[in-house]
Amino acid sequence: MTAEKRSFQAEVSKLLQIVANSLYSEREVFLRELISNAADACDKLRYLALTDADLVAGDPDFKIRLSVNADEKTLTIADNGVGMTEEELDQNLGTIASSGTGAFIDNLTGDAKKDVGLIGQFGVGFYSAFMVSEKVEVLTRKAGDEKAWIWTSDGLGEYTVASAEKAGRGTIITLHLKEDASEFLEEPRLRNIVKTYSDHIAIPIMLAKGDDGEDALNEASALWTRQKSEITPEQYTEFYRHVSHGFDEPWLTTHWRAEGRFEYNALLFTPSSPPFDLYHPDRKHRVKLYVKRVFITEDCEGLVPEYLRFLKGVIDCEDLPLNVSRELLQKNPMLTAISSAVTKRILNELTRKADKDTEAYNAFWENFGAVLKEGLYGAPNEHKQTLLDLVRFKSTTRDGLVSLKQYVEGMKDGQEHIYYITGESQDAIRNSPHLEGFAAKGIEVLLLSDPIDDFWIPSLFEGYAEKQFQSVTRGGADLDKVKDADDKDDAEKDETKDEDKAKTDVAPLVASIKIALGETVKDVRESARLTDSACCLVADDGDLDMNLERILRQHQQVKEAAPRVLEINPKHPLIKGLSERVKAGKTGQDLDDAAYLLLDQARIMDGETVTDPKAFARRMSKVMEMGLVS
Ligand code: ADP
């Protein structure tokens, strides 16, 4: 069969261009990527061989072998792992399948210098071979198959696949090194790279010597089974990069051995930067499950909860059976117990970090807080209290982040609720009119702008420290009960009486606006939460919160906005003036128009559009005419 030409998927071409042309400062990492793939291929076959020993018959010991040919200027990385079929070659080395990656690559700008940092986040994988090679050949034979295939490419848009001969299973990758990459033919250089990046690999990595000789380049014992004291920070970091396919540093490394009811080793990393697909619907955790050093799966649902899906690393269990299917394994009650213990441990580590180093914890919170909060919504969660203490908020009265404990400690005398506001962005909610009355009284309001916030807070029926959460955009604002900063003296009490009077004064106006607006609003009320603005919209008790409704509308889960309560500020000059008009019997079209303009104003302040733009413009022009022209 002659070699068949095929084109790379567009995303791959783009990626290749960036990788090959980038002046990547540590291009030696290509070797780490290829060794990492080879080790994964061995892990995969070891798992398959648990149920089909024939797959490794005659060659039971896994290894990765490097060899150089100085004359040909080639470096070869060979493994006796699982190998690939023709389809798999096409799939794996011609397309980018993993969810979210395609879209991510579409967003790359094409500017190598800028993009390389981004690509680094998820690792360049196999394609990094083209940083140092002008041509790459992949000769591979799937374990259990007779046929072998050879894939060849210069990394410029096309590759060829042809059938080939290969003794035994596995993959041999031959790199025809670029002119300026001959350093990778030198033995000391290779030894050094393997030591630096791949020492933690549990499969032996050998360097071919002379005719048949080999030298071991790594320790080849699973890093997570070694004593903590024997592992250097660099080794942890490199292991982290191996499991995460990333280039950043771990923010938190948690390594422990559990003994007792269940025995397991866990080595888990919290990254220092969020992965690009953290919110992709298909995003799963990246914790690999091993049983007695045998890799089982990196896709074990329930091994760690979704709200810890930023974790990367390994959990290696001693007591789980090796010879059951992945599916059955996932239902094993032991796994549930381990998951719970692992979650507890990680949350405790986070708590410790939060107590010890506020700044570092806040950086973590910026990256993963929105994910952690998912743990507070949905299924009952035995870790709820710990999670609640880990949550951080922006607020109206502080610069940094505040915890619920701090919030409650700072509550005013007479304040019964934990006040919060949710919205699309911090900027939008910081300027919300709903906050005015709270600001005037110096009451702290939590500012929440992650979509999840509209779900977890309302689901928290028991509140926090016996205080219920209350949105400042809903229900009646019971601000009267909260004492002002300085204790009330008599003068103030008088003022309060005046306010009461002002309230009764607007009653006729409230009634007129109600008649004018009819069904478009649920009710019209005088407001206790406004000081500067004339009006605002609030959700009635028991109604859907306004921001939640907005989110649901965006997702087509709610069709129409429900009528809201229009609150008017009895102390505002406009409201006072309108009130006088009504009392003087001057109702009619002008007042109706004013009512609609108030409603539209309130909608605009909430970031909504006006319901009837044409009518709005007509009314606005009329009012301007009256005020400015006549
Ligand atoms: P990643 O390793 O992040 O999935 P790569 O681009 O490095 O991405 O590799 C793509 C896929 O090609 C791998 O997921 C694997 O299925 C396959 N692959 C790469 N190298 C080998 C190998 N040596 N043996 C078997 N399969 C391999």
Side-chain angles (χ1 to χ4, degrees):
M1 174 181 146
T2 48
E4 196 182 314
K5 263 199 180 139
R6 298 172 195 184
S7 297
F8 286 115
Q9 185 194 28
E11 284 90 348
V12 176
S13 285
K14 196 162 175 183
L15 183 66
L16 275 168
Q17 241 170 24
I18 296 163
V19 169
N21 297 327
S22 67
L23 301 166
Y24 199 72
S25 57
E26 296 165 82
R27 60 180 185 164
E28 72 228 32
V29 297
F30 81 90
L31 193 56
R32 168 186 84 179
E33 300 287 321
L34 297 182
I35 289 177
S36 190
N37 281 345
D40 287 347
C42 294
D43 269 350
K44 280 180 201 161
L45 182 57
R46 199 192 326 242
Y47 172 73
L48 294 175
L50 290 175
T51 44
D52 185 358
D54 285 351
L55 290 175
V56 293
D59 186 12
D61 298 324
F62 291 100
K63 74 177 169 192
I64 299 165
R65 191 166 186 267
L66 310 185
S67 52
V68 293
N69 183 328
D71 298 335
E72 303 277 327
K73 293 206 166 46
T74 58
L75 168 64
T76 299
I77 298 103
D79 66 66
N80 57 352
V82 69
M84 285 176 270
T85 62
E86 187 195 4
E87 290 75 34
E88 284 168 340
L89 257 183
D90 232 15
Q91 271 292 316
N92 296 336
L93 307 186
T95 62
I96 294 181
S98 84
S99 50
T101 319
F104 170 77
I105 289 174
D106 280 343
N107 285 333
L108 295 176
T109 61
D111 176 345
K113 277 212 186 84
K114 273 195 207 149
D115 291 340
V116 113
L118 272 175
I119 294 177
Q121 248 190 53
F122 76 103
V124 277
F126 168 78
Y127 302 109
S128 63
F130 289 100
M131 293 197 289
V132 296
S133 320
E134 50 190 30
K135 187 168 101 174
V136 176
E137 283 162 350
V138 180
L139 174 60
T140 185
R141 183 172 146 191
K142 178 98 177 179
D145 276 7
E146 291 302 318
K147 269 188 161 172
W149 299 92
I150 185 158
W151 178 104
T152 311
S153 179
D154 56 8
L156 298 174
E158 283 178 339
Y159 60 93
T160 59
V161 177
S163 77
E165 294 297 320
K166 182 180 183 307
R169 64 170 198 259
T171 303
I172 301 175
I173 298 182
T174 305
L175 309 178
H176 296 262
L177 295 170
K178 286 182 181 173
E179 209 55 56
D180 65 357
S182 47
E183 60 191 286
F184 302 112
L185 296 168
E186 290 160 20
E187 192 188 307
R189 182 88 170 98
L190 292 176
R191 277 179 189 279
N192 190 279
I193 300 173
V194 173
K195 197 82 205 149
T196 309
Y197 297 105
S198 307
D199 191 49
H200 57 80
I201 296 279
I203 312 272
I205 305 169
M206 316 300 287
L207 182 65
K209 306 270 285 180
D211 276 350
D212 251 347
E214 283 178 339
D215 253 5
L217 299 183
N218 66 334
E219 216 174 288
S221 73
L223 187 84
W224 59 90
T225 61
R226 299 183 207 167
Q227 291 293 325
K228 265 176 163 174
S229 54
E230 288 167 17
I231 306 172
T232 65
E234 291 76 26
Q235 283 174 319
Y236 274 128
T237 300
E238 280 315 321
F239 182 73
Y240 163 70
R241 292 176 176 173
H242 165 64
V243 288
S244 71
H245 298 273
F247 281 57
D248 61 338
E249 301 279 328
W251 176 78
L252 182 67
T253 301
T254 319
H255 183 192
W256 77 101
R257 179 178 175 78
E259 276 159 354
R261 203 148 67 96
F262 306 119
E263 269 183 40
Y264 60 92
N265 282 293
L267 172 50
L268 297 174
F269 302 97
T270 304
S272 56
S273 56
F276 65 93
D277 61 348
L278 191 59
Y279 296 102
H280 193 281
D282 295 344
R283 164 83 197 189
K284 299 273 174 0
H285 65 77
R286 295 288 153 82
V287 178
K288 297 183 176 198
L289 175 67
Y290 281 70
V291 174
K292 300 184 194 65
R293 251 73 59 216
V294 178
F295 168 73
I296 304 294
T297 173
E298 55 188 339
D299 190 19
C300 181
E301 213 176 298
L303 183 58
V304 300
E306 293 239 338
Y307 64 87
L308 295 181
R309 63 178 174 277
F310 49 83
L311 287 177
K312 294 166 175 183
V314 166
I315 296 175
D316 185 357
C317 307
E318 296 299 319
D319 312 301
L320 284 169
L322 260 173
N323 56 351
V324 293
S325 72
R326 284 174 186 155
E327 291 69 31
L328 283 178
L329 197 62
Q330 294 184 359
K331 296 198 185 93
N332 191 302
M334 206 185 290
L335 207 70
T336 317
I338 290 175
S339 169
S340 169
V342 165
T343 305
K344 187 163 172 224
R345 175 73 181 230
I346 293 295
L347 294 182
N348 286 346
E349 289 291 318
L350 290 175
T351 304
R352 197 172 335 168
K353 195 93 175 166
D355 293 343
K356 226 173 48 190
D357 189 348
T358 311
E359 208 173 307
Y361 182 73
N362 288 352
F364 159 82
W365 185 258
E366 292 294 334
N367 286 335
F368 301 114
V371 175
L372 209 60
K373 281 190 279 192
E374 290 173 20
L376 289 163
Y377 177 64
N381 188 335
E382 56 181 312
H383 308 287
K384 204 167 206 172
Q385 194 51 46
T386 320
L387 278 168
L388 278 175
D389 283 320
L390 283 168
V391 178
R392 295 293 178 270
F393 304 84
K394 295 204 170 88
S395 94
T396 49
T397 57
R398 305 183 208 227
D399 285 338
L401 295 174
V402 59
S403 67
L404 284 172
K405 188 157 171 268
Q406 289 166 319
Y407 180 94
V408 170
E409 281 165 5
M411 277 168 67
K412 299 270 172 204
D413 280 350
Q415 180 183 344
E416 288 172 359
H417 293 121
I418 298 172
Y419 290 107
Y420 71 93
I421 181 168
T422 59
E424 262 172 303
S425 70
Q426 286 288 320
D427 284 346
I429 50 179
R430 260 181 207 280
N431 297 320
S432 166
H434 301 95
L435 297 171
E436 291 170 3
F438 295 86
K441 290 222 171 201
I443 301 172
E444 184 169 24
V445 178
L446 302 173
L447 302 165
L448 294 154
S449 56
D450 290 320
I452 187 72
D453 294 324
D454 279 290
F455 297 91
W456 74 268
I457 292 211
S459 75
L460 213 67
F461 298 115
E462 67 281 27
Y464 178 86
E466 292 172 16
K467 307 278 183 228
Q468 292 296 324
F469 287 81
Q470 167 83 37
S471 165
V472 301
T473 67
R474 76 164 32 248
D478 51 353
L479 287 176
D480 292 348
K481 289 189 198 150
V482 181
K483 295 223 176 73
D484 283 325
D486 358 276
D487 243 350
K488 288 192 180 184
D489 55 23
D490 288 345
E492 263 181 310
K493 277 188 191 138
D494 283 351
E495 209 179 280
T496 319
K497 256 189 220 145
D498 281 349
E499 277 175 25
D500 286 347
K501 213 162 114 239
K503 277 181 193 164
T504 43
D505 276 347
V506 296
L509 174 63
V510 165
S512 304
I513 297 179
K514 229 185 265 189
I515 294 168
L517 296 180
E519 305 265 287
T520 34
V521 290
K522 183 158 186 190
D523 199 4
V524 181
R525 289 176 201 158
E526 44 203 84
S527 183
R529 75 193 88 216
L530 295 173
T531 59
D532 301 335
S533 305
C535 58
C536 70
L537 284 170
V538 301
D540 208 1
D541 274 330
D543 280 356
L544 214 52
D545 192 81
M546 290 193 289
N547 192 51
L548 175 59
E549 186 192 82
R550 196 173 5 240
I551 295 172
L552 295 175
R553 274 204 326 264
Q554 280 162 3
H555 292 85
Q556 265 90 44
Q557 294 188 7
V558 166
K559 288 218 167 58
E560 275 173 35
R564 296 300 179 191
V565 176
L566 179 69
E567 284 197 354
I568 57 172
N569 177 2
K571 286 169 263 171
H572 193 280
L574 173 61
I575 301 298
K576 280 186 185 161
L578 288 173
S579 197
E580 293 307 319
R581 264 183 91 101
V582 173
K583 274 187 265 171
K586 287 196 232 167
T587 48
Q589 189 59 44
D590 287 350
L591 192 88
D592 287 1
D593 284 344
Y596 275 102
L597 282 173
L598 285 173
L599 175 62
D600 281 337
Q601 230 188 78
R603 289 179 58 84
I604 291 169
M605 282 191 290
D606 270 338
E608 296 283 320
T609 50
V610 298
T611 4
D612 181 349
K614 211 168 153 194
F616 169 76
R618 182 179 52 72
R619 293 184 186 115
M620 192 67 175
S621 303
K622 197 168 123 192
V623 171
M624 286 165 84
E625 238 172 72
M626 289 196 295
L628 300 171
V629 185
S630 59

